[in-house]
Amino acid sequence: MKITILYFARIKEVVNYSSEDVVLPEGIETIIALKSWLSTRGETWQKLFNGSGVVRAAINHELVDDMATMDEGDEVAFFPPVTGG
Amino acid sequence: MKITILYFARIKEVVNYSSEDVVLPEGIETIIALKSWLSTRGETWQKLFNGSGVVRAAINHELVDDMATMDEGDEVAFFPPVTGG
Amino acid sequence: MSAPVYLKISVQPEDFDTGAELQQLKAATPQAGALVNFIGMVRDLSADGKLDEMVIEHYPGMTEAALQRIAEQACQRWPLLGIRLIHRVGSLAAQAQIVLVATTSLHRQAAFEACAFMMDYLKTEAPFWKKEIGDFGERWVEARATDEHAKQQWQKNNGKSPT
Amino acid sequence: MSAPVYLKISVQPEDFDTGAELQQLKAATPQAGALVNFIGMVRDLSADGKLDEMVIEHYPGMTEAALQRIAEQACQRWPLLGIRLIHRVGSLAAQAQIVLVATTSLHRQAAFEACAFMMDYLKTEAPFWKKEIGDFGERWVEARATDEHAKQQWQKNNGKSPT
């Protein structure tokens, strides 16, 4: 399954780019599975998703929790807790 | 004791004037006593102070209850519950 | 609380320019992070029918003292930076502005609560009386029990917003 | 509740004219008796020192959807007549306006509560991120636990203001 991933704010600065298209291996269907899979990319990613900072996720512009499932073509976004207003 | 009495809104329309200076007889010292004394002026006054409508009072620009006492030269005001804002 | 609070109170027949007033309040309290304000308008429909005019009578002298007292109470309860109060009197047309209550503070909660608090107190303690004039004739507006109730909630929940 | 509510949402780098915006909202909802609004400003002092600039990043597309959803929730809970939401993005100087949340309704309680509700939800659900730049360098603003708490109070007190 192919998805687009966007990164924002502090997380964008850590990963050092703002978006990427990825093809997920078979079985990576939930946000939590995606986080684990991205963590295998190296220490930066490992720290990002397993460290102390909270990483929020959205699928197609809607806030979701770790158990949410993705579909082909989805736009997934990772970002820190929001601080607008 | 001499005081000034002011009337506002519906009450001013009922008594038909907006202020008067009165010399109170000996013993009329509280708002409740003043109301009773004014009630002796006739049916209009009787109805005003003993009828169903609430009459609020202020002494020298401060809201007071019926047991408040007056002093020489005080400005006493009678008015309906307020409806500003 | 202890810092001097910018406070300006007006009772006037003239309309007010809300944008300019808020601008002035912000300029007077540049440290503020939050500004909350309430504007009350004359509704064109009264309980009795279509309204042509609203006449607001007040008690000169006591009005200003009452508004001052309400503002001081708000300052005692919340860490406000600034307060602007304007209440119009005299004859107003439908949709005219009646009242402006504006507050500034560092954070939003104090500004929100103090603004609502002052409106609830103004509605029950400031000597204004509204008369409605329309095709139904004219009649004095009756005080609403819900306004008195709103004020009493603040007395119960000392320093908290009413539920 | 069921009546159509005037709703206008903007996410923009430009400043806004609060007076003109409120005038437009009033004109769009002439039956309103109450207008409440919140304006958030950049404070010139951050937790780390004097602030020169605030940069607000957002998630285009999701931002508008989130604000729309927040406004719809407010309309379901309160009998509102109109809502105006503006949130700025990009680089802002100290004291600049960041956000406007304005509501109109027949009576003041709905306008007050819905305005506070939308601010609490905006603070926790709309994808904006603030970075502060000053003599301390630059740092991302941390989310405040009190904002999350404020939102949760609305979830507990369904239809009521938080205490």
Side-chain angles (χ1 to χ4, degrees):
Chain A
M1 156 165 81
K2 191 175 162 187
I3 62 167
T4 299
I5 310 180
L6 307 182
Y7 304 94
F8 290 97
R10 185 179 53 75
I11 293 175
K12 178 174 66 184
E13 291 181 353
V14 169
V15 308
N16 218 14
Y17 47 85
S18 60
S19 74
E20 61 179 318
D21 291 335
V22 294
V23 177
L24 300 180
E26 200 72 28
I28 307 292
E29 290 169 357
T30 60
I31 292 292
I32 188 80
L34 175 60
K35 284 181 174 178
S36 297
W37 181 68
L38 291 171
S39 295
T40 63
R41 286 177 170 182
E43 203 187 340
T44 301
W45 296 85
Q46 167 81 26
K47 265 193 185 157
L48 184 62
F49 289 116
N50 298 324
S52 59
V54 178
V55 176
R56 294 273 155 83
I59 299 178
N60 299 330
H61 297 166
E62 206 155 330
L63 271 179
V64 295
D65 64 26
D66 273 355
M67 299 317 295
T69 58
M70 301 168 289
D71 285 314
E72 175 70 28
D74 275 357
E75 180 175 297
V76 175
F78 289 115
F79 45 77
V82 305
T83 57
Chain B
M1 151 166 85
K2 192 175 159 188
I3 63 168
T4 299
I5 310 181
L6 307 182
Y7 304 93
F8 291 97
R10 185 179 52 76
I11 292 174
K12 178 174 67 184
E13 291 180 354
V14 168
V15 307
N16 218 14
Y17 47 85
S18 60
S19 74
E20 61 178 317
D21 291 334
V22 294
V23 177
L24 300 181
E26 201 70 29
I28 306 293
E29 290 169 357
T30 60
I31 293 292
I32 187 80
L34 175 60
K35 283 180 174 179
S36 297
W37 182 67
L38 290 170
S39 295
T40 63
R41 287 177 169 181
E43 202 187 340
T44 301
W45 295 85
Q46 168 80 27
K47 265 194 186 157
L48 184 61
F49 289 116
N50 298 323
S52 59
V54 177
V55 176
R56 294 274 156 84
I59 298 178
N60 299 331
H61 297 165
E62 206 153 334
L63 271 179
V64 295
D65 64 26
D66 274 354
M67 299 317 296
T69 57
M70 301 169 288
D71 285 315
E72 175 70 27
D74 275 357
E75 179 175 295
V76 175
F78 289 116
F79 44 78
V82 305
T83 57
Chain C
M1 308 276 221
S2 51
V5 176
Y6 170 83
L7 171 59
K8 192 173 169 193
I9 295 173
S10 307
V11 179
Q12 61 188 44
E14 298 82 24
D15 196 10
F16 49 88
D17 178 341
T18 302
E21 293 295 341
L22 299 183
Q23 198 50 50
Q24 199 175 37
L25 176 60
K26 271 191 284 193
T29 57
Q31 328 88 293
L35 189 163
V36 171
N37 65 89
F38 171 87
I39 303 163
M41 286 92 69
V42 178
R43 293 181 51 201
D44 58 3
L45 207 65
S46 86
D48 293 323
K50 206 174 146 3
L51 183 136
D52 295 321
E53 185 190 352
M54 174 171 278
V55 177
I56 303 182
E57 182 176 332
H58 78 124
Y59 179 177
M62 178 170 170
T63 313
E64 292 79 1
L67 294 178
Q68 179 80 31
R69 206 152 40 221
I70 290 166
E72 283 166 5
Q73 286 178 60
C75 291
Q76 278 161 15
R77 291 176 78 139
W78 291 277
L80 299 177
L81 295 168
I83 296 175
R84 179 71 173 113
L85 299 180
I86 307 176
H87 203 296
R88 293 178 69 192
V89 293
S91 170
L92 305 179
Q95 292 171 35
Q97 300 186 117
I98 303 170
V99 60
L100 172 71
V101 174
T103 53
T104 54
S105 58
L106 291 181
H107 302 292
R108 71 188 185 285
Q109 196 190 357
F112 263 117
E113 292 190 359
C115 187
F117 169 92
M118 286 193 284
M119 270 309 298
D120 288 342
Y121 272 68
L122 190 156
K123 283 263 179 191
T124 50
E125 300 203 339
F128 295 103
W129 301 275
K130 287 176 180 159
K131 180 188 264 185
E132 295 177 335
I133 301 171
D135 43 20
F136 48 85
E138 45 173 84
R139 59 148 215 155
W140 290 100
V141 172
E142 296 289 326
R144 288 167 40 157
T146 52
D147 288 329
E148 186 59 36
H149 178 75
K151 186 187 78 175
Q152 285 168 2
Q153 290 302 306
W154 291 106
Q155 294 166 341
K156 271 195 261 177
N157 303 296
N158 200 24
K160 300 273 197 157
S161 63
T163 54
Chain D
M1 307 277 222
S2 52
V5 176
Y6 171 83
L7 171 60
K8 193 173 169 192
I9 296 173
S10 307
V11 179
Q12 61 187 44
E14 299 81 24
D15 197 10
F16 50 87
D17 177 340
T18 302
E21 293 295 341
L22 299 183
Q23 198 51 50
Q24 198 176 38
L25 176 60
K26 272 192 283 194
T29 57
Q31 328 88 292
L35 189 163
V36 171
N37 64 89
F38 170 87
I39 303 164
M41 285 92 70
V42 178
R43 293 181 52 202
D44 57 4
L45 207 66
S46 86
D48 294 323
K50 204 171 146 6
L51 184 136
D52 295 321
E53 184 189 354
M54 174 172 278
V55 178
I56 303 182
E57 182 176 331
H58 78 124
Y59 180 177
M62 178 171 169
T63 313
E64 292 78 2
L67 295 178
Q68 179 80 30
R69 207 152 39 221
I70 290 166
E72 283 166 6
Q73 286 177 60
C75 291
Q76 278 161 14
R77 291 177 78 140
W78 291 278
L80 299 177
L81 295 167
I83 296 175
R84 178 70 173 114
L85 300 181
I86 306 177
H87 202 296
R88 294 178 69 192
V89 294
S91 170
L92 306 179
Q95 291 171 36
Q97 301 187 116
I98 303 170
V99 59
L100 172 70
V101 175
T103 53
T104 54
S105 58
L106 291 180
H107 302 292
R108 72 189 185 285
Q109 197 191 357
F112 263 117
E113 292 190 358
C115 187
F117 169 91
M118 285 193 285
M119 270 309 298
D120 288 342
Y121 272 67
L122 190 156
K123 284 264 181 190
T124 50
E125 301 203 339
F128 296 102
W129 300 276
K130 287 176 179 158
K131 180 188 263 185
E132 295 177 335
I133 301 171
D135 42 23
F136 48 84
E138 45 174 84
R139 58 147 219 157
W140 290 100
V141 173
E142 294 290 326
R144 288 167 39 157
T146 52
D147 288 330
E148 186 60 34
H149 178 76
K151 185 187 79 173
Q152 285 168 2
Q153 291 303 306
W154 291 106
Q155 293 167 340
K156 271 195 260 176
N157 303 295
N158 201 22
K160 300 274 197 155
S161 62
T163 52

